[in-house]
Structure formats: C-alpha cells, structure tokens
Amino acid sequence: MGQAQSGLSKPIRAAGGLLWRKVDNSYEIAVIYRERYHDWSLPKGKLKEGETWLQAALREVEEETGYSAQAISFAGAISYETSRGPKVVCFWHMLRLGEPVRRLDDEVAEVLWLPVEAASSVPGLAKVSAKAGTAPTASGSPPGATPPPTPRP
C-alpha cells in the first residue's frame, strides 16, 4: 500500500546539535533565539538532498551559531507532529572549534551560551535528554568528551 493510500506521510527529516564550549572548569551549551517563532531552541534544520544526518547537523550548527564544530557522540532523536506532518530530529553532542567562522543565519537573532542547568529548560534539550537518556555527565561535560580537569587546591 502506498503512502497516499495508507494515509501515512513521510516524516520531515531534520538534524542539529548540542554545541558545547568549555568555560573554566565546566561547560556551557549554545541556544539560539528565533525571531520567527519567538523562542529559544537548539540549532537544527532540515536535511538537504544528498546530505547525511550528521552532515546536516554540522551544517545547521554552523549556519545558526556561526561556529564550526566537531561531533563527539550521538545525543538522541525526537519526533513530533507539525502542521506539515511528522518530524524527526537527530541531535549530536558537538564541541565548538575556535571562534565564529561566519555570520548567523537570517533565522537566528541571537546565540546565548548557558550553563547546563539553565539550558535544560530549553524544550529541545529537555526532549533529547528525556527521550535518549543522554544528559551531560556528572562533571557537566558532554557525553563522549574529556571532562574538564579537577581544580587543584
């Protein structure tokens, strides 16, 4: 039975990242403000033709935060209904590489770096952590990353 006959629509495929940066002895996560939706979100967007999930995630993080990144581990996936049909978003934990390399995408008004506790209120992060069971480690570092060194007295 084809999609049209079964009433099932092909899901919208999107990918994004939990972009981390080290600050002193802890880590922060980048969140973006989208004027169009009047919300704070994790950087993410739809896959382009021929892109892998990871390629799309890296591209979207760079476009929406300005930073090149290195993927370090898969964070999880979420799915939800939109007005255009079902959507699946795969996320990766990423570390930023240096300083911004480009201007922000037109969709993004601001990038804000938040401590893990504050960022956990961002809907995308809460959903990814809850569904995938991948939260920051006890040290506050992203899963798959080398934790920050313990300060010495």
Side-chain angles (χ1 to χ4, degrees):
M1 194 185 291
Q3 286 183 353
Q5 292 175 335
S6 70
L8 298 176
S9 59
K10 188 175 181 179
I12 299 163
R13 300 181 323 146
L18 284 76
L19 183 63
W20 298 78
R21 75 173 179 182
K22 186 175 177 184
V23 177
D24 298 323
N25 291 319
S26 64
Y27 285 85
E28 294 178 332
I29 297 174
V31 295
I32 60 169
Y33 184 75
R34 304 179 303 170
E35 291 267 346
R36 177 179 177 187
Y37 299 106
H38 305 289
D39 72 354
W40 290 95
S41 176
L42 294 171
K44 66 182 180 307
K46 296 177 192 151
L47 274 70
K48 291 184 176 179
E49 186 70 33
E51 259 184 335
T52 66
W53 292 88
L54 180 55
Q55 287 169 336
L58 289 165
R59 176 183 52 76
E60 286 291 340
V61 164
E62 184 173 315
E63 287 176 1
E64 295 188 349
T65 68
Y67 290 92
S68 291
Q70 173 188 357
I72 54 172
S73 65
F74 182 69
I78 59 173
S79 62
Y80 52 94
E81 286 294 325
T82 72
S83 60
R84 296 183 182 148
K87 188 172 193 175
V88 175
V89 186
C90 293
F91 288 95
W92 278 262
H93 290 287
M94 300 179 182
L95 294 175
R96 75 167 187 177
L97 301 175
E99 296 302 315
V101 295
R102 62 171 288 155
R103 288 187 31 202
L104 299 179
D105 190 66
D106 291 340
E107 297 176 30
V108 178
E110 183 179 356
V111 177
L112 185 63
W113 291 94
L114 296 174
V116 175
E117 304 77 40
S120 64
S121 65
V122 174
L125 180 58
K127 287 178 188 174
V128 170
S129 294
K131 289 202 175 205
T134 56
T137 64
S139 68
S141 64
T146 302
T150 305
R152 294 189 177 167

